[in-house]
Amino acid sequence: MTQEMNFVELQELKEQFALLSRKLDRQALINDNMLKETMTRNVSVIEREYKSRFQVALIAAPVLTVVFLVMELHWGFILLMDAVALAELLLDRRCYRALAPQSLMSLNMTDAAERAIRYRKLRSLAHRVMLIPDIVLAVWTVLIACHYSWNVPILVLCLVMFVVAVEISIYREKKVNKHLDSLLKHIEELKM
């Protein structure tokens, strides 16, 4: 009788263990799906950021060139503006290609981290390369807005606009880096 009871208890334990094992497998599958979904969202944020950068460079520069030509602004200013826009576009494209966000999820953690490091180095280099041309373009813009005179209200307005533009740029860069860090964290979790 006790042997039969032990056998029945053993069967019950076996069934409970099988049920628990199936539940854990489903939970792991759900966790993997949630991780992949989060990773896809992070990639789409990075993709949208670069898509908007490319659109601004490809649309805004030609439109502004035409507008400034109609306004009869100095040709040197227009050339500098177009050169800065083209340089930004090329540097952004190079950074985007170095990162290749769509293929990050299929890489192992080491390769994904290497790409992220290379991307961050290129972004830092791009910022340093573009610093002087951006400052020259900003100062020239202020001079044009002030009609090459000391116009305090216009100077203050331009200064506020440049500070806001820099803050927005910093915010967008941090947003991309935050999503990139999150993506790398999820790749590491998924590959474990």
Side-chain angles (χ1 to χ4, degrees):
M1 180 88 173
T2 57
Q3 217 173 14
E4 286 178 18
M5 295 256 309
N6 285 342
F7 182 73
V8 169
E9 287 177 1
L10 185 62
Q11 281 299 101
E12 283 180 26
L13 282 173
K14 201 174 182 184
E15 288 173 11
Q16 289 175 355
F17 183 74
L19 179 65
L20 180 63
S21 179
R22 284 192 303 271
K23 284 184 178 181
L24 287 175
D25 287 343
R26 264 189 259 131
Q27 186 65 36
L29 184 62
I30 290 170
N31 286 343
D32 283 351
N33 288 341
M34 287 173 56
L35 272 174
K36 287 179 182 177
E37 196 175 293
T38 303
M39 290 168 61
T40 303
R41 260 187 269 125
N42 287 325
V43 166
S44 71
V45 167
I46 295 169
E47 288 283 334
R48 277 193 311 262
E49 174 64 28
Y50 272 94
K51 186 177 180 180
S52 71
R53 286 181 189 183
F54 295 149
Q55 286 174 343
V56 165
L58 291 173
I59 295 170
V63 169
L64 285 175
T65 299
V66 170
V67 169
F68 291 161
L69 284 172
V70 169
M71 293 173 60
E72 297 180 357
L73 292 181
H74 192 275
W75 61 269
F77 174 77
I78 296 170
L79 285 177
L80 177 63
M81 179 197 66
D82 288 342
V84 167
L86 180 63
E88 290 278 355
L89 175 68
L90 293 175
L91 290 170
D92 280 347
R93 190 165 183 224
R94 183 165 180 200
C95 291
Y96 177 81
R97 283 189 172 180
L99 182 61
Q102 287 295 336
S103 64
L104 274 180
M105 294 190 300
S106 62
L107 298 175
N108 63 38
M109 184 57 197
T110 305
D111 292 339
E114 284 177 5
R115 278 197 185 176
I117 290 168
R118 190 172 344 125
Y119 164 79
R120 286 191 171 122
K121 284 182 180 179
L122 282 173
R123 285 305 301 165
S124 176
L125 178 64
H127 289 308
R128 286 188 305 235
V129 165
M130 294 308 299
L131 183 64
I132 299 297
D134 285 342
I135 289 172
V136 170
L137 186 62
V139 168
W140 203 344
T141 303
V142 171
L143 288 172
I144 290 171
C146 293
H147 299 290
Y148 299 96
S149 65
W150 190 253
N151 190 338
V152 176
I154 298 291
L155 284 173
V156 170
L157 179 64
C158 289
L159 181 63
V160 168
M161 289 174 55
F162 285 130
V163 168
V164 169
V166 168
E167 286 295 321
I168 289 171
S169 177
I170 290 170
Y171 168 77
R172 291 175 78 177
E173 194 72 31
K174 283 183 179 181
K175 181 179 169 185
V176 167
N177 284 331
K178 181 180 89 173
H179 284 282
L180 182 58
D181 290 340
S182 178
L183 181 62
L184 290 174
K185 180 180 151 219
H186 292 308
I187 290 172
E188 186 176 8
E189 289 173 7
L190 192 61
K191 302 298 178 180
M192 285 184 165

